[in-house]
Amino acid sequence: MAIALAGMLMSSCAVVGTGAGMGVLYTGVTEGAAVTSNPLGTKVGQSKATNVLGLVATGDASIDAAAKSAGIKKVSHVDVKKMSVLGIFATYTTVVYGN
């Protein structure tokens, strides 16, 4: 029973998957998420969600929140930044570019 409990606790760590894979100790990756036909803009907005130990996850990492943070009305492209440290702490940041 102790082994099953330990397995359940360790399976819900604060990790983020990436196209490049995950680092056991540290993951820090930026990936392209979306592109539109709108011209490259001068404004940049960000939104973020945070996860601690896979137990508490909070935040709004939506494209809408990131666009609103910079007053972007026409999105040109979207990137995401994923960071995780030892499966203890992770962040997911959406970065929106546009005008």
Side-chain angles (χ1 to χ4, degrees):
M1 189 157 129
I3 293 172
L5 179 60
M8 285 189 334
L9 289 174
M10 294 181 75
S11 68
S12 60
C13 294
V15 295
V16 288
T18 72
M22 291 185 330
V24 174
L25 301 177
Y26 175 80
T27 300
V29 176
T30 300
E31 300 175 329
V35 178
T36 71
S37 60
N38 294 329
L40 183 61
T42 57
K43 297 179 183 179
V44 180
Q46 294 189 8
S47 59
K48 184 184 289 190
T50 303
N51 185 321
V52 179
L53 292 174
L55 299 173
V56 178
T58 62
D60 180 356
S62 67
I63 292 172
D64 185 53
K68 284 181 180 176
S69 77
I72 296 172
K73 304 242 186 277
K74 289 188 174 188
V75 173
S76 63
H77 67 286
V78 179
D79 289 338
V80 293
K81 295 181 180 182
K82 301 174 182 181
M83 188 275 302
S84 176
V85 178
L86 296 173
I88 296 170
F89 179 78
T91 61
Y92 184 95
T93 306
T94 303
V95 184
V96 174
Y97 303 85
N99 286 317

